[in-house]
Amino acid sequence: MDTPDLMLPDRIQEDLRTEILGRKVISYAQTGSTNDIALALAASGMKEGTLVVAENQTEGRGRRDRKWLSPMGTSILASLILRPSIMAYEAHIITLIGAAAVAQAIRSVTHLPAFIKWPNDVIVNGKKVSGVLTEMRTEERWVNFLVVGIGVTVNIPRSYLPAEIMDSATSLSAELGHDVSRIALLQEILRQLEHRYMKVKERKIDALMDEWKELSATVGRRVRVSLARRIIRGCAMDIDETGALLIRVDTGQVQRVTADDAVQLRADQ
Ligand code: BTN
């Protein structure tokens, strides 16, 4: 790339062509967690669509309080404030459309075969390149606001990937053999997510679920899901309207597993 690929507001907004997402951008060289910043801004009334990005996070976090690590300047670390009129139990749809938007954007920008691994991972060639962490604040049973946190591992050469995650994680540049414009990818994620978010607002949820399943590396496969105290094995048949995975276990029963229950999901032989 000719110019440094810095995640600056002007560059992100240049030719972005979205109506809501990214109309305000706040960028940090380093922060604790972009989700924490966005949650605090949303609580103080910051408008929907505000995007917080950082080159580095010292307290980046993923699902189930796992750490989200990313060397300075290599990744997309982004959090968006959304204010949908939905009930708390429906909020899972935002994680699903976040993962679908990332997978589709990776396909469009890099032509890599990106898929969604339930509930919130995006994988390429069987390894994780992205995760989505949705956090919300509610009033009564309604969502007051949501923050969608997106981490994408973009430009880390294979030789720099930590040995302990080499089997399970990768970067887009490691898969492609060359760097990818983080700005172009983030812009495409914002466009893809906005398109889907509009459908949530119009309550066209069925179409979104169908598209999610088409991008899914989980539905239709044999899986092994680790829960807190036991392991379930079987065929992942579908996700239901709450975003839970329906697994036909080997005895023939259908088990419903929620994202909160699942500690780990793996392909099973
Ligand atoms: C996961 O895979 O469990 C989700 C990872 C989400 C990481 C992103 S990076 C930007 C935002 N800020 C955070 O602290 N986490 C999310």
Side-chain angles (χ1 to χ4, degrees):
M1 261 162 281
D2 299 327
T3 49
D5 187 36
L6 296 175
M7 305 293 270
L8 300 172
D10 288 358
R11 306 240 7 238
I12 294 168
Q13 288 174 319
E14 192 182 322
D15 205 19
L16 177 60
R17 289 173 276 125
T18 54
E19 281 175 25
I20 304 176
L21 305 190
R23 60 186 173 172
K24 180 169 179 66
V25 180
I26 300 167
S27 73
Y28 291 83
Q30 177 164 296
T31 186
S33 156
T34 54
N35 264 32
D36 285 343
I37 302 276
L39 284 165
L41 288 171
S44 66
M46 185 63 88
K47 63 188 174 189
E48 171 162 83
T50 300
L51 172 70
V52 179
V53 292
E55 295 289 355
N56 192 30
Q57 295 183 128
T58 53
E59 305 288 331
R61 62 171 182 276
R63 207 169 73 86
R64 303 188 75 87
D65 281 333
R66 290 177 185 133
K67 285 192 166 69
W68 182 265
L69 300 171
S70 42
M72 179 75 138
T74 60
S75 303
I76 290 174
L77 306 168
S79 300
L80 280 160
I81 297 172
L82 299 180
R83 299 182 181 279
S85 302
I86 58 174
M87 302 201 66
Y89 77 88
E90 299 176 300
H92 68 90
I93 191 72
I94 302 295
T95 305
L96 299 185
I97 64 168
V102 172
Q104 191 56 60
I106 290 173
R107 286 176 177 223
S108 303
V109 172
T110 69
H111 305 291
L112 284 168
F115 288 95
I116 305 165
K117 182 180 155 202
W118 181 87
N120 66 335
D121 292 352
V122 177
I123 58 171
V124 170
N125 299 329
K127 295 181 181 179
K128 179 163 174 167
V129 290
S130 172
V132 176
L133 178 67
T134 306
E135 297 179 295
M136 65 176 158
R137 298 291 179 263
T138 55
E139 262 178 35
E140 305 285 323
R141 285 177 298 142
W142 290 89
V143 170
N144 186 3
F145 59 81
L146 275 159
V147 165
V148 191
I150 296 173
V152 190
T153 311
V154 184
N155 293 324
I156 305 182
R158 199 178 294 280
S159 53
Y160 282 70
L161 288 167
E164 61 274 20
I165 60 160
M166 280 279 264
D167 288 344
S168 58
T170 187
S171 71
L172 298 178
S173 69
E175 296 305 308
L176 283 167
H178 60 78
D179 279 0
V180 175
S181 162
R182 290 184 300 159
I183 297 284
L185 183 58
L186 176 58
Q187 288 180 325
E188 187 59 17
I189 291 170
L190 296 174
R191 290 183 202 114
Q192 294 282 347
L193 185 53
E194 179 161 298
H195 171 68
R196 289 166 177 81
Y197 185 51
M198 293 302 189
K199 290 199 172 148
V200 172
K201 284 180 177 265
E202 294 161 18
R203 312 287 312 175
K204 292 184 179 157
I205 309 289
D206 286 354
L208 291 169
M209 295 292 239
D210 288 347
E211 186 222 40
W212 186 93
K213 285 175 213 168
E214 274 168 32
L215 287 168
S216 169
T218 306
V219 171
R221 302 284 166 85
R222 275 195 66 82
V223 292
R224 192 181 76 187
V225 187
S226 305
L227 307 177
R229 288 201 183 79
R230 65 197 173 100
I231 291 176
I232 295 178
R233 290 187 137 103
C235 180
M237 295 167 51
D238 206 349
I239 49 168
D240 70 12
E241 65 292 344
T242 69
L245 191 64
L246 303 178
I247 301 173
R248 186 178 296 283
V249 294
D250 297 339
T251 54
Q253 287 169 302
V254 175
Q255 293 252 341
R256 182 175 170 276
V257 179
T258 68
D260 287 343
D261 295 337
V263 178
Q264 190 180 50
L265 176 139
R266 289 193 175 166
D268 199 25
Q269 308 314 321

